[in-house]
mmCIF file of all heavy atoms in Angstrom:
data_model
loop_
_atom_site.group_PDB
_atom_site.id
_atom_site.type_symbol
_atom_site.label_atom_id
_atom_site.label_comp_id
_atom_site.label_asym_id
_atom_site.label_seq_id
_atom_site.Cartn_x
_atom_site.Cartn_y
_atom_site.Cartn_z
ATOM 1 N N SER A 285 -44.397 61.635 50.400
ATOM 2 C CA SER A 285 -45.732 61.569 49.731
ATOM 3 C C SER A 285 -46.717 62.580 50.384
ATOM 4 O O SER A 285 -47.424 63.254 49.740
ATOM 5 C CB SER A 285 -46.301 60.144 49.836
ATOM 6 O OG SER A 285 -46.676 59.803 51.088
ATOM 7 N N VAL A 286 -46.628 62.698 51.725
ATOM 8 C CA VAL A 286 -47.475 63.661 52.453
ATOM 9 C C VAL A 286 -46.985 65.047 52.079
ATOM 10 O O VAL A 286 -47.784 66.000 51.872
ATOM 11 C CB VAL A 286 -47.449 63.391 53.964
ATOM 12 C CG1 VAL A 286 -48.280 64.472 54.693
ATOM 13 C CG2 VAL A 286 -48.024 62.024 54.359
ATOM 14 N N GLY A 287 -45.658 65.239 51.996
ATOM 15 C CA GLY A 287 -45.067 66.517 51.658
ATOM 16 C C GLY A 287 -45.623 67.013 50.332
ATOM 17 O O GLY A 287 -45.848 68.221 50.052
ATOM 18 N N ILE A 288 -45.690 66.071 49.345
ATOM 19 C CA ILE A 288 -46.175 66.349 47.999
ATOM 20 C C ILE A 288 -47.592 66.850 48.083
ATOM 21 O O ILE A 288 -48.036 67.855 47.494
ATOM 22 C CB ILE A 288 -46.091 65.145 47.058
ATOM 23 C CG1 ILE A 288 -44.654 64.876 46.745
ATOM 24 C CG2 ILE A 288 -46.851 65.404 45.785
ATOM 25 C CD1 ILE A 288 -44.396 63.530 46.053
ATOM 26 N N TYR A 289 -48.418 66.135 48.891
ATOM 27 C CA TYR A 289 -49.781 66.521 49.092
ATOM 28 C C TYR A 289 -49.916 67.932 49.669
ATOM 29 O O TYR A 289 -50.730 68.772 49.173
ATOM 30 C CB TYR A 289 -50.453 65.546 49.961
ATOM 31 C CG TYR A 289 -51.785 65.940 50.571
ATOM 32 C CD1 TYR A 289 -52.935 66.124 49.739
ATOM 33 C CD2 TYR A 289 -51.944 66.241 51.961
ATOM 34 C CE1 TYR A 289 -54.108 66.578 50.304
ATOM 35 C CE2 TYR A 289 -53.134 66.644 52.413
ATOM 36 C CZ TYR A 289 -54.187 66.844 51.667
ATOM 37 O OH TYR A 289 -55.406 67.274 52.212
ATOM 38 N N LEU A 290 -49.100 68.225 50.666
ATOM 39 C CA LEU A 290 -49.185 69.579 51.344
ATOM 40 C C LEU A 290 -48.707 70.634 50.317
ATOM 41 O O LEU A 290 -49.352 71.734 50.306
ATOM 42 C CB LEU A 290 -48.239 69.564 52.547
ATOM 43 C CG LEU A 290 -48.696 68.653 53.764
ATOM 44 C CD1 LEU A 290 -47.628 68.789 54.865
ATOM 45 C CD2 LEU A 290 -50.034 69.077 54.216
ATOM 46 N N ALA A 291 -47.645 70.393 49.546
ATOM 47 C CA ALA A 291 -47.165 71.391 48.642
ATOM 48 C C ALA A 291 -48.252 71.702 47.551
ATOM 49 O O ALA A 291 -48.501 72.871 47.265
ATOM 50 C CB ALA A 291 -45.910 70.909 47.990
ATOM 51 N N VAL A 292 -48.915 70.630 47.123
ATOM 52 C CA VAL A 292 -49.955 70.843 46.078
ATOM 53 C C VAL A 292 -51.086 71.727 46.607
ATOM 54 O O VAL A 292 -51.634 72.627 45.942
ATOM 55 C CB VAL A 292 -50.513 69.474 45.588
ATOM 56 C CG1 VAL A 292 -51.823 69.625 44.790
ATOM 57 C CG2 VAL A 292 -49.537 68.710 44.816
ATOM 58 N N GLY A 293 -51.448 71.448 47.878
ATOM 59 C CA GLY A 293 -52.561 72.247 48.517
ATOM 60 C C GLY A 293 -52.204 73.663 48.727
ATOM 61 O O GLY A 293 -52.947 74.610 48.557
ATOM 62 N N LEU A 294 -50.949 73.884 49.224
ATOM 63 C CA LEU A 294 -50.473 75.237 49.547
ATOM 64 C C LEU A 294 -50.292 76.161 48.307
ATOM 65 O O LEU A 294 -50.248 77.355 48.407
ATOM 66 C CB LEU A 294 -49.136 75.154 50.302
ATOM 67 C CG LEU A 294 -49.369 74.642 51.777
ATOM 68 C CD1 LEU A 294 -47.973 74.519 52.429
ATOM 69 C CD2 LEU A 294 -50.170 75.583 52.593
ATOM 70 N N VAL A 295 -50.023 75.518 47.112
ATOM 71 C CA VAL A 295 -49.904 76.390 45.933
ATOM 72 C C VAL A 295 -51.283 76.824 45.391
ATOM 73 O O VAL A 295 -51.339 77.599 44.500
ATOM 74 C CB VAL A 295 -49.159 75.629 44.797
ATOM 75 C CG1 VAL A 295 -47.753 75.373 45.252
ATOM 76 C CG2 VAL A 295 -49.843 74.379 44.315
ATOM 77 N N GLY A 296 -52.385 76.302 45.963
ATOM 78 C CA GLY A 296 -53.699 76.738 45.577
ATOM 79 C C GLY A 296 -54.607 75.741 45.077
ATOM 80 O O GLY A 296 -55.793 76.014 44.901
ATOM 81 N N ILE A 297 -54.170 74.499 44.817
ATOM 82 C CA ILE A 297 -55.162 73.469 44.408
ATOM 83 C C ILE A 297 -55.968 72.995 45.543
ATOM 84 O O ILE A 297 -55.388 72.620 46.581
ATOM 85 C CB ILE A 297 -54.316 72.290 43.733
ATOM 86 C CG1 ILE A 297 -53.569 72.848 42.561
ATOM 87 C CG2 ILE A 297 -55.218 71.220 43.276
ATOM 88 C CD1 ILE A 297 -52.554 71.800 41.936
ATOM 89 N N PRO A 298 -57.260 72.982 45.416
ATOM 90 C CA PRO A 298 -58.149 72.683 46.582
ATOM 91 C C PRO A 298 -58.184 71.244 46.958
ATOM 92 O O PRO A 298 -59.259 70.495 46.777
ATOM 93 C CB PRO A 298 -59.514 73.260 46.120
ATOM 94 C CG PRO A 298 -59.439 73.020 44.643
ATOM 95 C CD PRO A 298 -58.009 73.307 44.193
ATOM 96 N N VAL A 299 -57.088 70.699 47.480
ATOM 97 C CA VAL A 299 -57.071 69.236 47.881
ATOM 98 C C VAL A 299 -57.235 69.159 49.469
ATOM 99 O O VAL A 299 -57.251 67.993 49.871
ATOM 100 C CB VAL A 299 -55.742 68.608 47.470
ATOM 101 C CG1 VAL A 299 -55.703 68.534 45.902
ATOM 102 C CG2 VAL A 299 -54.540 69.362 48.028
ATOM 103 N N PHE A 300 -57.304 70.200 50.142
ATOM 104 C CA PHE A 300 -57.551 70.212 51.618
ATOM 105 C C PHE A 300 -59.024 70.045 51.884
ATOM 106 O O PHE A 300 -59.850 70.416 50.990
ATOM 107 C CB PHE A 300 -56.981 71.305 52.273
ATOM 108 C CG PHE A 300 -55.494 71.519 52.185
ATOM 109 C CD1 PHE A 300 -54.862 72.777 52.248
ATOM 110 C CD2 PHE A 300 -54.638 70.393 52.000
ATOM 111 C CE1 PHE A 300 -53.486 72.914 52.052
ATOM 112 C CE2 PHE A 300 -53.271 70.513 51.880
ATOM 113 C CZ PHE A 300 -52.657 71.775 51.841
ATOM 114 N N ALA A 301 -59.394 69.722 52.995
ATOM 115 C CA ALA A 301 -60.825 69.546 53.333
ATOM 116 C C ALA A 301 -61.707 70.807 53.204
ATOM 117 O O ALA A 301 -62.829 70.793 52.899
ATOM 118 C CB ALA A 301 -61.000 69.071 54.745
ATOM 119 N N ALA A 302 -60.955 72.004 53.361
ATOM 120 C CA ALA A 302 -61.673 73.284 53.216
ATOM 121 C C ALA A 302 -61.065 74.134 52.196
ATOM 122 O O ALA A 302 -61.110 75.346 52.258
ATOM 123 C CB ALA A 302 -61.728 73.987 54.553
ATOM 124 N N GLY A 303 -60.468 73.525 51.113
ATOM 125 C CA GLY A 303 -59.874 74.331 50.043
ATOM 126 C C GLY A 303 -58.439 74.199 49.937
ATOM 127 O O GLY A 303 -57.918 73.083 49.946
ATOM 128 N N GLY A 304 -57.707 75.261 49.796
ATOM 129 C CA GLY A 304 -56.205 75.169 49.538
ATOM 130 C C GLY A 304 -55.663 76.644 49.478
ATOM 131 O O GLY A 304 -56.432 77.662 49.681
ATOM 132 N N GLY A 305 -54.401 76.779 49.238
ATOM 133 C CA GLY A 305 -53.778 78.072 49.115
ATOM 134 C C GLY A 305 -52.892 78.368 50.258
ATOM 135 O O GLY A 305 -52.978 77.773 51.340
ATOM 136 N N PRO A 306 -51.941 79.291 50.124
ATOM 137 C CA PRO A 306 -50.967 79.642 51.168
ATOM 138 C C PRO A 306 -51.634 80.195 52.463
ATOM 139 O O PRO A 306 -50.978 80.089 53.540
ATOM 140 C CB PRO A 306 -50.035 80.690 50.524
ATOM 141 C CG PRO A 306 -50.827 81.214 49.384
ATOM 142 C CD PRO A 306 -51.648 80.071 48.957
ATOM 143 N N ALA A 307 -52.826 80.723 52.392
ATOM 144 C CA ALA A 307 -53.516 81.323 53.503
ATOM 145 C C ALA A 307 -53.855 80.207 54.472
ATOM 146 O O ALA A 307 -54.160 80.490 55.694
ATOM 147 C CB ALA A 307 -54.739 82.040 53.042
ATOM 148 N N TYR A 308 -53.802 78.960 53.993
ATOM 149 C CA TYR A 308 -54.083 77.836 54.874
ATOM 150 C C TYR A 308 -53.133 77.683 56.005
ATOM 151 O O TYR A 308 -53.377 77.169 57.088
ATOM 152 C CB TYR A 308 -54.075 76.541 54.068
ATOM 153 C CG TYR A 308 -55.291 75.595 54.338
ATOM 154 C CD1 TYR A 308 -56.446 75.696 53.502
ATOM 155 C CD2 TYR A 308 -55.292 74.731 55.392
ATOM 156 C CE1 TYR A 308 -57.554 74.863 53.761
ATOM 157 C CE2 TYR A 308 -56.362 73.903 55.601
ATOM 158 C CZ TYR A 308 -57.505 73.962 54.783
ATOM 159 O OH TYR A 308 -58.588 73.162 55.031
ATOM 160 N N LEU A 309 -51.937 78.314 55.835
ATOM 161 C CA LEU A 309 -50.956 78.209 56.923
ATOM 162 C C LEU A 309 -51.379 78.927 58.233
ATOM 163 O O LEU A 309 -50.939 78.556 59.310
ATOM 164 C CB LEU A 309 -49.546 78.874 56.425
ATOM 165 C CG LEU A 309 -48.876 78.071 55.447
ATOM 166 C CD1 LEU A 309 -47.755 78.979 54.739
ATOM 167 C CD2 LEU A 309 -48.259 76.838 55.979
ATOM 168 N N ILE A 310 -52.236 79.975 58.085
ATOM 169 C CA ILE A 310 -52.742 80.611 59.366
ATOM 170 C C ILE A 310 -54.089 80.141 59.742
ATOM 171 O O ILE A 310 -54.821 80.761 60.525
ATOM 172 C CB ILE A 310 -52.664 82.188 59.097
ATOM 173 C CG1 ILE A 310 -53.563 82.613 58.032
ATOM 174 C CG2 ILE A 310 -51.275 82.641 59.057
ATOM 175 C CD1 ILE A 310 -53.775 84.093 57.887
ATOM 176 N N ARG A 311 -54.575 79.011 59.112
ATOM 177 C CA ARG A 311 -55.835 78.379 59.458
ATOM 178 C C ARG A 311 -55.459 77.496 60.646
ATOM 179 O O ARG A 311 -54.577 76.641 60.585
ATOM 180 C CB ARG A 311 -56.397 77.700 58.376
ATOM 181 C CG ARG A 311 -57.815 77.126 58.635
ATOM 182 C CD ARG A 311 -58.358 76.355 57.399
ATOM 183 N NE ARG A 311 -59.679 75.829 57.751
ATOM 184 C CZ ARG A 311 -60.835 76.391 57.487
ATOM 185 N NH1 ARG A 311 -60.814 77.656 57.009
ATOM 186 N NH2 ARG A 311 -61.999 75.822 57.789
ATOM 187 N N PRO A 312 -56.192 77.606 61.799
ATOM 188 C CA PRO A 312 -55.880 76.769 63.011
ATOM 189 C C PRO A 312 -55.804 75.251 62.711
ATOM 190 O O PRO A 312 -55.010 74.561 63.418
ATOM 191 C CB PRO A 312 -56.990 77.150 63.920
ATOM 192 C CG PRO A 312 -57.433 78.517 63.560
ATOM 193 C CD PRO A 312 -57.358 78.540 62.078
ATOM 194 N N THR A 313 -56.545 74.810 61.816
ATOM 195 C CA THR A 313 -56.611 73.323 61.536
ATOM 196 C C THR A 313 -55.400 72.833 60.715
ATOM 197 O O THR A 313 -55.268 71.628 60.453
ATOM 198 C CB THR A 313 -57.913 72.933 60.826
ATOM 199 O OG1 THR A 313 -58.155 73.705 59.710
ATOM 200 C CG2 THR A 313 -59.113 73.138 61.855
ATOM 201 N N PHE A 314 -54.595 73.749 60.224
ATOM 202 C CA PHE A 314 -53.451 73.316 59.360
ATOM 203 C C PHE A 314 -52.455 72.430 60.152
ATOM 204 O O PHE A 314 -51.765 71.550 59.538
ATOM 205 C CB PHE A 314 -52.727 74.510 58.818
ATOM 206 C CG PHE A 314 -51.574 74.120 57.853
ATOM 207 C CD1 PHE A 314 -51.900 73.691 56.574
ATOM 208 C CD2 PHE A 314 -50.292 74.177 58.250
ATOM 209 C CE1 PHE A 314 -50.923 73.286 55.711
ATOM 210 C CE2 PHE A 314 -49.227 73.801 57.347
ATOM 211 C CZ PHE A 314 -49.609 73.362 56.144
ATOM 212 N N GLY A 315 -52.454 72.510 61.428
ATOM 213 C CA GLY A 315 -51.607 71.667 62.211
ATOM 214 C C GLY A 315 -51.875 70.159 62.079
ATOM 215 O O GLY A 315 -51.000 69.315 62.187
ATOM 216 N N PHE A 316 -53.199 69.845 61.804
ATOM 217 C CA PHE A 316 -53.503 68.415 61.539
ATOM 218 C C PHE A 316 -52.963 67.986 60.260
ATOM 219 O O PHE A 316 -52.564 66.840 60.072
ATOM 220 C CB PHE A 316 -55.025 68.261 61.590
ATOM 221 C CG PHE A 316 -55.646 68.399 62.935
ATOM 222 C CD1 PHE A 316 -56.200 69.577 63.371
ATOM 223 C CD2 PHE A 316 -55.584 67.334 63.876
ATOM 224 C CE1 PHE A 316 -56.772 69.687 64.623
ATOM 225 C CE2 PHE A 316 -56.087 67.456 65.151
ATOM 226 C CZ PHE A 316 -56.664 68.632 65.569
ATOM 227 N N LEU A 317 -52.902 68.881 59.245
ATOM 228 C CA LEU A 317 -52.271 68.468 57.953
ATOM 229 C C LEU A 317 -50.807 68.252 58.187
ATOM 230 O O LEU A 317 -50.193 67.246 57.599
ATOM 231 C CB LEU A 317 -52.486 69.530 56.960
ATOM 232 C CG LEU A 317 -53.974 69.865 56.496
ATOM 233 C CD1 LEU A 317 -54.076 71.015 55.572
ATOM 234 C CD2 LEU A 317 -54.580 68.551 55.913
ATOM 235 N N LEU A 318 -50.131 69.097 58.944
ATOM 236 C CA LEU A 318 -48.706 68.878 59.225
ATOM 237 C C LEU A 318 -48.537 67.526 59.999
ATOM 238 O O LEU A 318 -47.536 66.818 59.870
ATOM 239 C CB LEU A 318 -48.145 69.962 60.096
ATOM 240 C CG LEU A 318 -47.879 71.351 59.429
ATOM 241 C CD1 LEU A 318 -47.426 72.309 60.481
ATOM 242 C CD2 LEU A 318 -46.793 71.127 58.350
ATOM 243 N N GLY A 319 -49.566 67.248 60.769
ATOM 244 C CA GLY A 319 -49.534 65.967 61.570
ATOM 245 C C GLY A 319 -49.505 64.750 60.702
ATOM 246 O O GLY A 319 -48.945 63.758 61.156
#
């Protein structure tokens, strides 16, 4: 279920606290999403 949420955010849908998209992978706070 968390993996689905991460996938949706990484494809560009703004479901993360500061948006979304693949560029989020190099955002320092992405580690908390993996967490």
Side-chain angles (χ1 to χ4, degrees):
S285 71
V286 176
I288 292 171
Y289 164 69
L290 295 178
V292 168
L294 288 174
V295 299
I297 299 175
V299 293
F300 299 151
Y308 226 93
L309 288 169
I310 59 171
R311 187 179 178 89
T313 53
F314 184 73
F316 289 101
L317 296 176
L318 285 178

